[in-house]
Amino acid sequence: MTQIPAPPNVDDTKVRRDFEYLLDAFRDVLTGLGETDIAGALPWGRDADRSDPPAEAGRFVQAISMAFQLATLAEENAAAQHRRAREQHDGTAAISGLWGRILTKAGAAGIDEATIAERLGALTVEPVLTAHPTEAKRATVLEQHRELYRLLVALENQMWTNQERADLTEDARAILERLWRTGEIFLERPAVADELRNVVHYLTRVFPEVVPRLDGRLEAAWAAAGLDPSALGEQRPSIRFGTWVGGDRDGHPFVTADVTRDTLRELRSRAVELLDGALSGAGRALSLSERLQPAPPELVSWVRDTAASLGDTGRGAVERNPQEPWRQAINLMRARLPGAAGSYRTADELVENLDQLAQSLRAVRADRLVSSIVTPVRRLVETFGFHLAALDIRQNSRFHDLAVAELLTAAHVPGGESFPDWSEADRQALLEAELSSPRPLVRPGAAIGPQADAVLDCYRVLADEAEANGTAGLGSLIVSMTRSLSDLLVVYLLAKEAGLLIGRHEPTCLLPVAPLFETIEDLDRSPGILGPFIEHPITARTLHARAGDGSPHQQVMIGYSDSNKDGGIVSSLWGLYRAQEALTKVGDRAGVDVTFFHGRGGTISRGAGPTHRFLRALPPGSVRH
């Protein structure tokens, strides 16, 4: 058979064995459906007969594609089983990049437990799912791959009888037949809605299961490293998610203002569904009867008052589970989710109620129920909020220039139509003059031109979202191909016209503006752009307003793909390293923490690779939160 290469440090025999198992099941399906020519032409596995590909190339290509997916599943399972075996044999510190190794090394370096816990609590990680329509997979296919992988994991259990293993194999054949009959690819170019379904699949079906497991592994590694569990307490790295799907309009003409509005609505709706499901599960689990343990007076009062404030809805929530006050409390939280009268204004209010619920459980010495039931739900609320993922808005600086040119032309500014070709000094002078004036350039709602209308319509959607639901679901206004200070100030001018810039005399932007430095040349000049930008009065007010009582943060995105195209892998990595080093110093001088958004992923040419090695290779001082 053709050998399927195993991942590094993984038993390739295990990979081949799992792949052959899946491939044999797939061949059984094909043969049973009369596709014997396709089954025989598959070039891998014990039963490969090296037949010529069938005349109907399309179906054969689908079979080859499915076979590669099966190989990927086999590799992933083998890698996971290898890690489990190694951890079981050598301990949690045996695997590089995982909590066990990190905490053991920190302890060996003499860092005390309190400091480690404090640093963990200060960390924030925000994976951002970017928009690549050619990589979008159908959500139904993703779910079937997930089922097949779970079945492969289930087969690792040695408790099954021969008949039970045969039943599992039949389940695998059923999944493979569904995949074969479904088709893995889009028959037409995927639309933004298709991309969004792909992203929502991970945000609602995968990540909510992963986050609690990450916390569990941290707690286990903390104990295995011999650290005092009480020192860790509730300190956990914050995890947030972002997305570009429905917001990235750089070269994507189909991402309109209506698409952005629909995307925000869908993300909010799915977030509420996610939390409602989690609360429903918690309610079923918290069926504690007050006949067996008296509820604390604080809980009784909260249930009574909240039910009264919700009228008939609150009465129904209480009457549904008589003499079960903890479950009644969960019912009332569900009744207050967004979309109903008396709903929570922010996710923080739900977190506060969950904390009250946890306190009432601790009062009856049900600490285990807090950690197993309430804490995971609280973690989901903190992670996904009522917005699921923050939507970034990205546009190219050239598009913004054309939009401003249309705006200036409509306002009869002399030479405004050639704004993209103005000198940097003239551009900045015009922008500063307009930003210091409270009047708009054109009448609100007036049609200006295709570029200006596209940007302003999008920004008006963002302003409406901020007014209705706050800014938690909104990310940054990212300017790709940032090459000058004016490329960033232009955004403030457009934001002013659309209502995103608030305050007549000392304006503040509702959303942060983030530069994206992509080419080697742009990375080299980036410190000279960022310095004046973060010192600009509007930027300074915006950063401090968003920081509250904490330190102001300025997000800077750096591009791996374009810098690699521009200078090659080595030159790209060196340029990125030097830029981060310099940008960090610029932020330090201004009293602003620079938060880097690393546009990496996919292949090595896009900066992909083991994340723990990537983090260790970053410039000292550039990773702080």
Side-chain angles (χ1 to χ4, degrees):
M1 63 172 282
T2 303
Q3 182 171 342
I4 302 297
N9 301 319
V10 174
D11 181 5
D12 59 350
T13 303
K14 169 67 174 169
V15 177
R16 286 197 298 271
R17 187 167 62 248
D18 285 351
F19 181 55
E20 286 174 353
Y21 170 82
L22 293 172
L23 204 60
D24 287 347
F26 186 32
R27 277 203 174 89
D28 290 343
V29 170
L30 292 173
T31 302
L33 296 176
E35 305 281 8
T36 54
D37 52 347
I38 296 179
L42 289 175
W44 305 291
R46 291 186 292 267
D47 299 328
D49 60 14
R50 305 299 191 273
S51 301
D52 292 332
E56 189 184 355
R59 293 293 270 173
F60 179 65
V61 170
Q62 181 189 348
I64 290 292
S65 174
M66 285 183 60
F68 275 119
Q69 293 287 349
L70 300 182
T72 299
L73 293 176
E75 288 183 359
E76 291 175 350
N77 183 53
Q81 300 308 322
H82 171 78
R83 286 194 298 271
R84 286 190 175 99
R86 189 173 178 193
E87 182 177 322
Q88 180 67 19
H89 186 268
D90 299 325
T92 59
I95 303 174
S96 178
L98 298 186
W99 283 125
R101 173 77 65 86
I102 294 168
L103 294 175
T104 300
K105 290 180 67 175
I111 304 176
D112 63 89
E113 297 163 325
T115 300
I116 298 174
E118 181 184 356
R119 297 291 177 85
L120 286 173
L123 288 173
T124 299
V125 180
E126 184 179 349
V128 178
L129 307 181
T130 54
H132 288 283
T134 57
E135 297 180 11
K137 292 182 176 63
R138 301 179 63 186
T140 184
V141 170
L142 290 169
E143 189 58 37
Q144 291 172 44
H145 286 165
R146 190 162 174 255
E147 288 182 42
L148 199 55
Y149 177 79
R150 285 183 162 180
L151 189 146
L152 199 60
V153 173
L155 284 166
E156 298 292 336
N157 198 319
Q158 300 302 309
M159 73 176 183
W160 308 117
T161 66
N162 290 338
Q163 181 57 50
E164 288 171 329
R165 296 186 73 83
D167 291 341
L168 289 172
T169 299
E170 185 56 33
D171 290 342
R173 294 192 187 102
I175 298 170
L176 289 165
E177 181 172 344
R178 282 157 47 201
L179 278 169
W180 177 250
R181 291 180 181 274
T182 300
E184 292 194 85
I185 62 174
F186 288 104
L187 299 180
E188 298 178 356
R189 177 180 298 180
V192 178
D194 298 314
E195 299 176 59
L196 184 60
R197 277 191 290 271
N198 179 279
V199 165
V200 166
H201 167 82
Y202 288 101
L203 289 171
T204 59
R205 302 284 293 170
V206 179
F207 298 147
E209 293 185 7
V210 171
V211 171
R213 293 181 184 178
L214 290 175
D215 289 345
R217 291 193 64 83
L218 170 58
E219 293 160 10
W222 185 276
L227 303 176
D228 181 6
S230 64
L232 179 61
E234 300 298 322
Q235 300 280 24
R236 303 290 184 277
S238 296
I239 301 175
R240 304 285 187 270
F241 290 96
T243 181
W244 281 9
V245 176
D248 182 10
R249 52 227 330 120
D250 184 2
H252 200 325
F254 301 113
V255 181
T256 63
D258 287 340
V259 166
T260 296
R261 182 184 292 106
D262 292 343
T263 298
L264 290 167
R265 186 184 299 117
E266 176 69 6
L267 291 172
R268 288 197 308 272
S269 173
R270 298 305 294 271
V272 172
E273 288 180 13
L274 173 66
L275 298 183
D276 186 57
L279 287 169
S280 177
R284 289 192 299 271
L286 287 175
S287 55
L288 286 70
S289 171
E290 64 181 354
R291 291 177 299 173
L292 301 178
Q293 54 266 303
E298 296 80 7
L299 178 65
V300 174
S301 298
W302 183 86
V303 168
R304 182 188 62 245
D305 295 344
T306 304
S309 70
L310 296 176
D312 291 342
T313 301
R315 188 178 307 108
V318 171
E319 291 176 352
R320 192 156 58 246
N321 300 105
Q323 298 186 355
E324 295 180 353
W326 286 274
R327 195 168 187 178
Q328 291 171 343
I330 291 288
N331 292 343
L332 291 168
M333 292 179 204
R334 294 180 64 194
R336 293 193 62 197
L337 289 174
S343 62
Y344 293 111
R345 295 187 304 274
T346 68
D348 288 340
E349 294 178 348
L350 176 53
V351 169
E352 182 180 347
N353 283 169
L354 287 168
D355 287 342
Q356 292 171 335
L357 183 70
Q359 185 176 359
S360 70
L361 286 167
R362 292 190 180 100
V364 297
R365 304 181 66 182
D367 297 69
R368 184 177 289 108
L369 301 187
V370 173
S371 60
S372 64
I373 299 172
V374 180
T375 299
V377 178
R378 186 186 191 279
R379 184 65 150 150
L380 288 183
V381 179
E382 288 182 319
T383 300
F384 297 100
F386 295 154
H387 60 277
L388 202 62
L391 181 65
D392 286 330
I393 305 297
R394 183 176 76 139
Q395 184 55 276
N396 194 284
S397 60
R398 174 66 179 175
F399 196 98
H400 286 156
D401 281 354
L402 296 175
V404 171
E406 292 176 348
L407 193 62
L408 297 178
T409 300
H412 305 292
V413 174
E417 70 280 356
S418 61
F419 176 79
D421 301 320
W422 287 15
S423 69
E424 177 65 10
D426 288 343
R427 285 161 59 95
Q428 288 190 32
L430 179 280
L431 292 169
E432 292 293 357
E434 291 301 327
L435 290 172
S436 63
S437 171
R439 58 144 180 82
L441 278 165
V442 298
R443 175 173 51 84
I448 302 168
Q451 280 83 17
D453 289 346
V455 176
L456 297 181
D457 286 349
C458 169
Y459 283 10
R460 291 184 185 111
V461 168
L462 303 180
D464 291 344
E465 171 69 15
E467 182 178 3
N469 302 297
T471 58
L474 300 174
S476 299
L477 303 172
I478 300 174
V479 183
S480 58
M481 288 297 172
T482 297
R483 292 177 170 170
S484 65
L485 173 61
S486 64
D487 285 344
L488 301 176
L489 300 182
V490 155
V491 178
Y492 288 148
L493 178 62
L494 295 166
K496 171 190 165 188
E497 295 293 314
L500 276 180
L501 211 63
I502 57 174
R504 290 178 59 86
H505 301 295
E506 293 187 341
T508 298
C509 195
L510 286 175
L511 301 178
V513 176
L516 167 50
F517 300 114
E518 302 183 71
T519 67
I520 298 295
E521 184 178 359
D522 292 342
L523 288 167
D524 287 343
R525 63 160 67 103
S526 62
I529 298 171
L530 184 67
F533 178 65
I534 59 179
E535 292 173 356
H536 191 277
I538 296 178
T539 307
R541 285 192 292 268
T542 299
L543 296 182
H544 281 88
R546 293 181 64 86
D549 296 331
S551 301
H553 290 254
Q554 170 63 49
Q555 184 183 102
V556 174
M557 185 174 180
I558 51 177
Y560 287 69
S561 176
D562 282 286
S563 62
N564 180 61
K565 295 173 188 173
D566 193 30
I569 292 177
V570 175
S571 178
S572 167
L573 293 176
W574 179 235
L576 290 161
Y577 184 97
R578 291 173 60 242
Q580 291 173 80
E581 195 174 43
L583 290 168
T584 300
K585 293 177 180 177
V586 167
D588 288 344
R589 287 194 292 269
V592 173
D593 286 334
V594 176
T595 301
F596 289 105
F597 178 169
H598 297 273
R600 61 187 291 269
T603 65
I604 190 173
S605 64
R606 291 180 174 270
T611 300
H612 64 287
R613 295 180 183 175
F614 163 77
L615 292 172
R616 285 206 303 265
L618 294 177
S622 65
V623 180
R624 298 181 181 179
H625 298 282

